[in-house]
Amino acid sequence: MGRSLCRSCGTPLQHTFLDLGMSPLANSYIKADQANRMEPFYPLHAFVCEKCLLVQLEQFSSPHDIFSDYAYFSSFSDSWLAHAKRYVDMITERFRFNSESKVIEIASNDGYLLQNFVARGIPVLGVEPAANVAEVAKQKGINTTVAFFGEKTAIDLREKGWAGDLIIGNNVLAHVPDLNDFVKGLKVLLGKTGLITMEFPHLLQLMEQNQFDTIYHEHFSYFSFLAVEKVFATHGLKLFDVEELPTHGGSLRIYACHAQDNSKPVGERAKALKSREEDAGFAQLANYMSFRPRVEATKRKLLSFLIAAKEKGKRIAAYGAPAKGNTLLNYCGVRTDLIDFTVDRSPHKQGHLLPGVRIPIHAPEMIREARPDYLLILPWNIREEVMQQMAHIREWGGKFVVPIPEVTVYP
């Protein structure tokens, strides 16, 4: 089998960043009546490109398999809705958007973000590949088109009179298999003095905080600021500002504009982050090779904890059914022999089984019925929110366990 090529610069990929073995697609929850069907597993193997240092998975599954009927509705997370509203307030104020502006969001989901622009009377367009999710946005009166974004979609929209004063992409850049086609599309669709903001998990945080469970098949690229700057520069776009955000365990929000747009000089935050990444070794291949041993140690610690608790006759349940939980449980081989069930607030996931490990997903009320001794919080990035929602487990002496960055028990 020939080597895969880097999805940014085309160099053959030969250096392993992290190999998590075989894993099912992280968002492909199993319906109860399909429990005895076979399930496809794919290699979950991240490489780092020796030339542009982009960390990435090989491509194996078409995005249509992943996104045509997608189970993630943004509006089921309170913290994410609040994050979106804060962003709209900030960006409208800073760049003075008004009823003459055109705002385009790529992967606009159920309208969780654009609804805030609509409320201000600013014209919007959502581009969303999952038809079932786009339908929810349309019902809220949010102008949405069902399409995969790339150069072709951008040309179509341009012909219909859309040129973005602001183009937004939250947690989409990492999910794009054809990265160059996507960034070419951004270049085409961006108005002359417009700007682009994109949010994605930050590789520096992924490594520093040991967040290996944020690696999953639907997430093709893992960006440092240095690597993403190269991708955008290739297509005539410059990064002029960046913010570090707490979302998803530590994300970047990059600000891009046309390379020749002199109204947006490169700011201090962008310069400072670049030198911080260089100091942390992100311009050297060796830095990327140091991650694997830490991940293997975390797997051993989590298994040791679960096994010791089981030996003492303790009951363990999990909270949440996020994609990252599926990576963690499949990599560690944790099934119902160690965790009885998990619970999730999303009715779209309840009554299903987690992919691969086949742990059942119930509604949150199940925790009170089953009274587990330990509750393993899979979406560790919102652990405070979960501990508040589930504070009642303390009534029977239940304790919270967070697996990342280190296995930690909260009394």
Side-chain angles (χ1 to χ4, degrees), residues 265-284:
V266 177
E268 279 313 306
R269 293 193 290 195
K271 291 175 188 162
L273 181 57
K274 216 175 147 169
S275 55
R276 208 174 98 218
E277 284 193 349
E278 283 165 353
D279 293 346
F282 281 82
Q284 265 85 44

Side-chain angles (χ1 to χ4, degrees), residues 117-158:
F117 286 109
V118 172
R120 291 167 170 266
I122 298 171
V124 303
L125 172 66
V127 183
E128 168 54 52
N132 63 323
V133 180
E135 196 43 52
V136 177
K138 287 179 187 170
Q139 285 164 12
K140 294 184 197 168
I142 293 159
N143 180 21
T144 306
T145 182
V146 177
F148 271 94
F149 185 77
E151 192 177 21
K152 185 185 166 303
T153 301
I155 292 166
D156 291 349
L157 293 173
R158 203 65 210 234

